[in-house]
Amino acid sequence: MGRYCQLCRSSFPTARSFFTHRRWFHAHPKPPSPKSTFRRHPHLNARPCNRNGQFLPPNTPAPDQVDDIDWTPFPDRPSFEFVELTFENAGLSRDTLKQMFRILAAKHIADGHPEYMPIYKKYQEILDVIDAIPYGEAPWRTFAIRWRGQVTPNSPAWKREVFLVHTRDTLRVAEIMAASPDFDGNFDYVPYEEFSGPNCRQVSDLMSGRWAYKQAISEDPATHGSMLVPIILGADKTTVSVATGNQEFHPVYMSLGNFHNEVRRAHRDSVIPIAFLAIPTAAHEWEKDDEFRVFKKQLYHASLVKILEPLHPAMTTPHVLRCPDGHFRRAIFELGPFIADYPEQVYLSGIVSGWCPKCFAIPTGHFTADDPRTREAHERVKAACNAASRWDVSGINAEVKPFTSYFPRADIHELLSPDLLHQLIKGCFKDHLVSWVIAYIKQTAPSDRDASRIIDDIDRRLAAVPPFAGLRRFPQGRNFKQWTGDDSKALMKVFLPAITGHVPEKMVKCLAAFLDFCYLARHNSHDSHSLAAMKDLLTQFEQLRTIFEEVGVRVDEGFALPRQHALFHYVRGIQLFGSPNGLCTSITESKHIPAVKKPWRESNRRNPLGQIIMKITRRNKLAAARAEFGRRNMLHGNVLSYVRRVMRRQAPHRSGSDSSSSEDSDSSEFISRVAEDLGEPRLVEHLRRYLHRQYNPDDPDPDALPIHLCPYVWSGSSIAVYRTASSTFYAPSELCGPGGMHREMIRATPRWWGAYARYDTVLVNIDPDRLGLDGMLVARIRAFLSYLHEGDLQQCALVEWFASEGDMPDTVSGMWVVCPELYDDGERVVDVIPISSIVRACHLVPVYGTTRVPPDFHFADSLDAFRRYYINWYVDYHAHETLF
């Protein structure tokens, strides 16, 4: 597909040659990004001190800690790793473990060796050695709460019942988490303000937000030099068994606001269960009784007050903590953000269900933001109005006093954090927008059968989406009975192209504005520009969602939806607490599995809560032991290599080596054979032009050079073909490793899983000085190649180019549209590019238009069967950051 340069009146046969020309002759490089400047809090500056709280001189090293190799209470490293494997990772039962010991003993004897002596003979020995671990001990205690009013023989059972709450010493939990060396380097000691440019503040982790920087405790001179330690809480009911009694538990989780978001999102012990709340039940006669409803909420708040009681003195008087870097510091605790879904927020804030827990907006009509709720504002309303007015006009349940009222400087209405999972993903997207789109189709189709045909086509479009690393497939469309959060997240990535052509353009634009808002909210860091973009997108969404009123889907109900209303508080919430991805209910819900569900499955179901608590305690002690052994540098390498090194140090010196290793290299083929296998007869020519570009990078138009002037490549030379490559890049908004690095696989294979061809598409960098897609092209990988030319190893890829359709994104979906790039004879434009120019994988979704997808269509054919494709920047958060 040819391109024409308006500036110099020249034409070019391919998009790549056009962009190369523009880079050399018309480029205007963007200035380098300014470095961030930081302003640390002047008073809460976390000065190191000794164990007694006396400040140390600047640059004093951390006090020495024991560093000798000591596996106590384990005999050695194999014993420790055996216990960790069998208790925590493998989840083996007692009987299974006994059978494993018998099999190992039988094999040992069958081989002619003496009687087998296992590391541990009994399961109880494993439990005993875990209980003897001296690290991570945070004892549990139980307290009872009951109804304090008048009780008569005719009173309902719940008034006579004693409710038990199991809790840990929260101060000890805070000490253990803060002292863990596992978090060194991922722990903020001082609140700070970060500026990425003039008047451009940037926020990411909690300590970078306004809330931490503006804490009033800093006005007390006695706290100067202390370290602010925000206490992040989360609570959420979970059901462990529906089939056998609908058994529920109500765990409370705790984290420290000093941890970086990526640590809190990871499966590490930065979020741990600290309590199990009582779940009051009553007979059907009393379930809706006002007195019982109030009691449940009062029990909830009284329990939280008691759970957090050990932290209360240190909220005004500094408490000395050891920190991950080994220093001691004087800590001031502060109740921080509370992670909760909407039903939990209603309990926490003492409001009427259906109202907003953060502002006084009346839940009618479009339900937009109003004056903020505060502890003081609620007290003024309670003093000025009677109970009925408080309930009807302000949405206040006056009989509920939030637990934050018992702690200094804490306001639950401010501390409720944005919830990406239940407010955006499950709420606005799945329960609202997807349901409304389907309702529109059913209302406007000529008949029920026609509506079903359209819905079936949408499902087939979802099933026809090309594969992508980490993308959940929908082989049957949306037709599955139980939705999870991961299902909703996956549908968000591909839903927009699937409905385009079946619904009005305004409806598509509405979903696009919402998705862009959602993906921006999920960014790992935000600045003034991204927050301004979120405000603009929210305004667009508010204006565009009226399409559902216009078509009759939301005529009477309007948009009085608390979870959708919560969008109006996101920008403020980000300014206060940093990125919401570190304060989402997906974090606490993911903790349900190791903290509640898995221990429950491993219990005998009799008094399961006691067994769950014991399991949690032992897992925490194992994790603390691993962190301590790691701090002492005792866990380098795998257990086998470690023991071999120890034995070599203990054995007499021997010359030579007792081990060897070798790597199998990929087999090579002649270039002519590879060209035949790939169906690319011009492979030698492409390689020659590629070599010319590599050796002559300043050539403005390499494609115009006669082929005989390019470096010679013999078709009988050997070349290696690879079917998979990995791309590693900085993507802290994704599930990532240390430092925010994310790794994805790119495939180019004719037989993926032995079934079908898979050739992934990628973004290729053609101009590093330009932003977004303006500096990149889309290509489809046909093969990864490795070729030795005159002693230089050339690592490259054979690709097919896609060309952008126009200079702007599609006006309806907002996504860029590309099409396969063709020569005048209709053949695909093929090229060889250096591996280093590949930025990352990208995802193309067909522009279906009004075309119906055949029932037997296979998704492996999608990248060959359509003429136009969206560049799907919703496939993951980093793609959206890169292209938006």
Side-chain angles (χ1 to χ4, degrees):
M1 180 179 293
R3 288 298 184 96
Y4 185 77
C5 179
Q6 297 284 350
L7 298 175
C8 61
R9 308 292 181 181
S10 300
S11 60
F12 300 88
T14 66
R16 188 190 54 75
S17 59
F18 167 72
F19 281 108
T20 302
H21 162 82
R22 192 174 71 172
R23 181 174 74 249
W24 282 105
F25 292 101
H26 308 301
H28 300 283
K30 65 180 186 296
S33 300
K35 294 183 178 180
S36 294
T37 57
F38 295 86
R39 183 166 62 196
R40 310 287 177 180
H41 200 285
H43 302 308
L44 298 176
N45 50 5
R47 291 177 56 190
C49 65
N50 60 22
R51 294 176 181 269
N52 300 319
Q54 298 170 331
F55 291 122
L56 300 175
N59 303 319
T60 300
D64 293 334
Q65 299 186 62
V66 177
D67 286 328
D68 58 315
I69 297 178
D70 182 5
W71 293 99
T72 304
F74 305 95
D76 46 35
R77 179 173 175 180
S79 301
F80 165 68
E81 297 215 7
F82 179 81
V83 169
E84 190 177 41
L85 175 68
T86 55
F87 181 82
E88 185 170 8
N89 299 326
L92 300 178
S93 67
R94 295 170 185 255
D95 292 339
T96 303
L97 200 58
K98 288 179 182 178
Q99 180 64 11
M100 184 179 71
F101 287 151
R102 294 191 192 102
I103 293 171
L104 291 175
K107 175 61 177 172
H108 206 73
I109 296 171
D111 290 342
H113 300 295
E115 184 75 18
Y116 175 68
M117 295 298 294
I119 300 176
Y120 296 100
K121 295 181 180 180
K122 300 178 180 179
Y123 187 76
Q124 187 60 45
E125 292 181 7
I126 293 177
L127 301 182
D128 291 342
V129 75
I130 296 175
D131 293 338
I133 294 174
Y135 317 111
E137 182 68 46
W140 291 77
R141 62 189 176 91
T142 301
F143 61 86
I145 299 181
R146 59 168 299 171
W147 168 263
R148 295 179 59 183
Q150 183 179 4
V151 178
T152 66
N154 297 324
S155 296
W158 61 265
K159 287 188 177 182
R160 299 191 297 272
E161 186 176 352
V162 175
F163 298 95
L164 301 180
V165 178
H166 307 274
T167 181
R168 283 172 139 163
D169 183 339
T170 45
L171 178 60
R172 178 60 184 151
V173 170
E175 291 174 340
I176 292 172
M177 287 198 290
S180 174
D182 203 26
F183 303 123
D184 190 19
N186 293 289
F187 191 95
D188 289 322
Y189 298 92
V190 182
Y192 64 92
E193 294 178 327
E194 180 181 359
F195 295 90
S196 57
N199 300 318
C200 184
R201 182 169 178 180
Q202 185 166 316
V203 294
S204 52
D205 301 311
L206 177 63
M207 296 292 273
S208 69
R210 293 180 182 177
W211 176 84
Y213 200 88
K214 300 294 184 183
Q215 281 307 306
I217 190 64
S218 63
E219 299 173 3
D220 183 358
T223 65
H224 291 182
S226 298
M227 176 179 68
L228 180 70
V229 181
I231 301 298
I232 296 175
L233 299 171
D236 183 31
K237 281 185 183 178
T238 182
T239 302
V240 295
S241 175
V242 176
T244 58
N246 194 31
Q247 191 161 10
E248 288 185 312
F249 295 96
H250 200 161
V252 180
Y253 298 94
M254 175 175 149
S255 181
L256 303 184
N258 309 80
F259 296 143
H260 293 175
N261 286 346
E262 66 183 51
V263 173
R264 200 173 298 113
R265 296 201 313 269
H267 295 284
R268 297 168 67 176
D269 285 320
S270 60
V271 180
I272 63 176
I274 58 168
F276 284 89
L277 300 177
I279 304 178
T281 57
H284 293 293
E285 178 185 358
W286 301 98
E287 276 185 352
K288 297 183 180 180
D289 181 71
D290 289 340
E291 208 171 31
F292 178 62
R293 288 180 173 180
V294 171
F295 171 72
K296 288 195 297 182
K297 295 181 179 181
Q298 291 175 339
L299 172 64
Y300 180 89
H301 287 278
S303 300
L304 289 176
V305 171
K306 190 70 175 178
I307 290 166
L308 298 172
E309 188 178 53
L311 295 170
H312 194 286
M315 293 181 179
T316 51
T317 303
H319 176 83
V320 177
L321 286 181
R322 185 187 286 275
C323 299
D325 62 357
H327 276 293
F328 291 95
R329 290 178 174 85
R330 301 171 63 182
I332 287 289
F333 293 109
E334 189 87 12
L335 288 187
F338 202 112
I339 303 172
D341 59 12
Y342 181 72
E344 200 90 21
Q345 290 181 354
V346 170
Y347 260 60
L348 285 162
S349 58
I351 63 165
V352 178
S353 182
W355 288 69
C356 174
K358 298 190 73 70
C359 76
F360 285 101
I362 298 175
T364 57
H366 284 200
F367 197 17
T368 56
D370 206 330
D371 294 335
R373 292 182 185 269
T374 63
R375 182 199 293 190
E376 295 75 16
H378 269 224
E379 293 301 326
R380 289 195 298 269
V381 172
K382 290 178 182 178
C385 305
N386 57 33
S389 298
R390 292 192 293 261
W391 183 283
D392 295 331
V393 178
S394 301
I396 298 175
N397 187 345
E399 295 178 283
V400 177
K401 186 176 182 179
F403 77 98
T404 50
S405 302
Y406 297 91
F407 295 93
R409 307 175 302 278
D411 188 338
I412 189 59
H413 307 290
E414 179 185 53
L415 295 178
L416 291 174
S417 63
D419 178 16
L420 296 171
L421 178 62
H422 290 94
Q423 291 170 351
L424 295 185
I425 298 169
K426 286 186 174 181
C428 294
F429 177 69
K430 174 188 166 289
D431 293 342
H432 300 164
L433 295 176
V434 174
S435 299
W436 296 349
V437 167
I438 300 304
Y440 162 78
I441 292 172
K442 291 181 177 180
Q443 287 184 15
T444 57
S447 65
D448 291 343
R449 174 166 290 185
D450 290 325
S452 297
R453 289 195 187 103
I454 295 173
I455 295 172
D456 286 341
D457 186 59
I458 291 175
D459 287 340
R460 286 194 290 269
R461 290 181 176 188
L462 295 173
V465 168
F468 187 81
L471 179 64
R472 179 170 299 199
R473 298 212 53 78
F474 292 90
Q476 304 299 326
R478 301 167 303 102
N479 287 331
F480 41 91
K481 297 179 180 179
Q482 185 172 356
W483 282 80
T484 66
D486 288 338
D487 295 327
S488 300
K489 292 176 187 177
L491 186 62
M492 290 179 75
K493 300 177 180 182
V494 295
F495 189 64
L496 195 66
I499 64 171
T500 303
H502 284 308
V503 299
E505 289 186 357
K506 186 176 179 180
M507 197 174 292
V508 177
K509 291 179 179 180
C510 175
L511 265 81
F514 168 77
L515 290 175
D516 287 333
F517 177 91
C518 184
Y519 275 65
L520 278 179
R522 183 59 173 71
H523 280 195
N524 191 62
S525 63
H526 293 267
D527 59 19
S528 302
H529 304 299
S530 66
L531 295 179
M534 286 182 64
K535 290 180 180 179
D536 292 341
L537 288 167
L538 182 57
T539 301
Q540 292 178 34
F541 173 68
E542 184 184 2
Q543 296 170 349
L544 292 168
R545 68 179 178 176
T546 56
I547 180 63
F548 294 103
E549 292 179 318
E550 296 166 8
V551 298
V553 174
R554 301 294 298 178
V555 175
D556 299 323
E557 304 92 335
F559 302 103
L561 304 163
R563 290 181 293 176
Q564 196 167 128
H565 167 85
L567 272 64
F568 293 98
H569 300 294
Y570 263 64
V571 171
R572 176 62 176 166
I574 292 171
Q575 292 171 335
L576 288 175
F577 304 124
S579 176
N581 67 3
L583 298 169
C584 179
T585 52
S586 60
I587 295 173
T588 52
E589 289 201 358
S590 69
K591 295 296 179 182
H592 286 336
I593 297 174
V596 182
K597 295 184 178 183
K598 189 176 178 181
W600 181 85
R601 289 194 295 266
E602 295 171 358
S603 73
N604 61 13
R605 312 298 197 272
R606 294 187 62 186
N607 185 26
L609 187 53
Q611 298 173 62
I612 289 172
I613 288 173
M614 185 59 70
K615 195 84 173 181
I616 291 171
T617 301
R618 288 168 172 156
R619 280 183 172 160
N620 289 155
K621 296 187 77 170
L622 273 173
R626 171 166 283 275
E628 177 62 20
F629 296 155
R631 183 192 66 80
R632 300 187 187 193
N633 297 317
M634 296 162 56
L635 295 174
H636 281 305
N638 61 60
V639 63
L640 182 58
S641 64
Y642 170 84
V643 171
R644 283 174 172 168
R645 286 198 305 270
V646 171
M647 297 304 294
R648 279 198 296 267
R649 286 197 296 266
Q650 296 175 355
H653 176 71
R654 297 183 301 177
S655 60
S657 173
D658 60 355
S659 64
S660 62
S661 62
S662 62
E663 295 184 3
D664 295 331
S665 60
D666 284 62
S667 59
S668 299
E669 297 280 356
F670 294 136
I671 293 179
S672 57
R673 176 64 182 273
V674 172
E676 181 180 346
D677 291 344
L678 295 176
E680 184 48 54
R682 297 174 60 192
L683 178 60
V684 170
E685 177 184 343
H686 296 316
L687 286 171
R688 296 182 70 178
R689 294 196 181 279
Y690 159 78
L691 291 171
H692 175 77
R693 291 193 297 270
Q694 292 300 104
Y695 295 137
N696 302 275
D698 295 335
D699 190 339
D701 193 7
D703 290 336
L705 189 73
I707 190 63
H708 69 274
L709 296 179
C710 296
Y712 179 72
V713 174
W714 180 41
S715 62
S717 300
S718 294
I719 191 169
V721 179
Y722 300 87
R723 297 301 183 184
T724 302
S726 65
S727 174
T728 303
F729 46 87
Y730 181 69
S733 297
E734 302 294 335
L735 291 176
C736 56
M741 300 307 292
H742 177 76
R743 182 172 180 261
E744 67 181 6
M745 304 303 293
I746 303 172
R747 316 286 183 180
T749 175
R751 301 285 289 176
W752 177 241
W753 292 105
Y756 55 86
R758 175 174 172 178
Y759 298 100
D760 289 347
T761 50
V762 295
L763 294 174
V764 180
N765 185 10
I766 59 167
D767 190 347
D769 294 325
R770 292 183 177 272
L771 295 174
L773 201 64
D774 197 32
M776 293 183 286
L777 288 177
V778 176
R780 189 182 186 190
I781 303 292
R782 297 307 305 269
F784 296 102
L785 308 173
S786 181
Y787 171 63
L788 193 64
H789 181 265
E790 297 181 355
D792 294 332
L793 181 63
Q794 304 293 334
Q795 294 182 321
C796 50
L798 180 69
V799 302
E800 296 174 345
W801 288 112
F802 286 79
S804 299
E805 188 178 88
D807 297 326
M808 296 293 291
D810 177 55
T811 56
V812 178
S813 67
M815 293 184 285
W816 291 88
V817 176
V818 296
C819 54
E821 190 170 7
L822 306 174
Y823 288 114
D824 293 338
D825 59 1
E827 292 293 321
R828 294 288 302 264
V829 175
V830 179
D831 204 352
V832 174
I833 62 172
I835 290 288
S836 58
S837 66
I838 297 176
V839 178
R840 54 153 297 160
C842 71
H843 190 229
L844 301 186
V845 179
V847 179
Y848 299 105
T850 57
T851 304
R852 298 289 178 94
V853 177
D856 57 349
F857 184 82
H858 195 276
F859 62 84
D861 301 322
S862 290
L863 292 176
D864 298 307
F866 293 86
R867 293 179 295 176
R868 303 166 68 234
Y869 298 87
Y870 294 115
I871 302 179
N872 182 19
W873 59 24
Y874 301 117
V875 73
D876 59 43
Y877 299 108
H878 181 262
H880 191 266
E881 291 180 43
T882 303
L883 298 173
F884 180 72

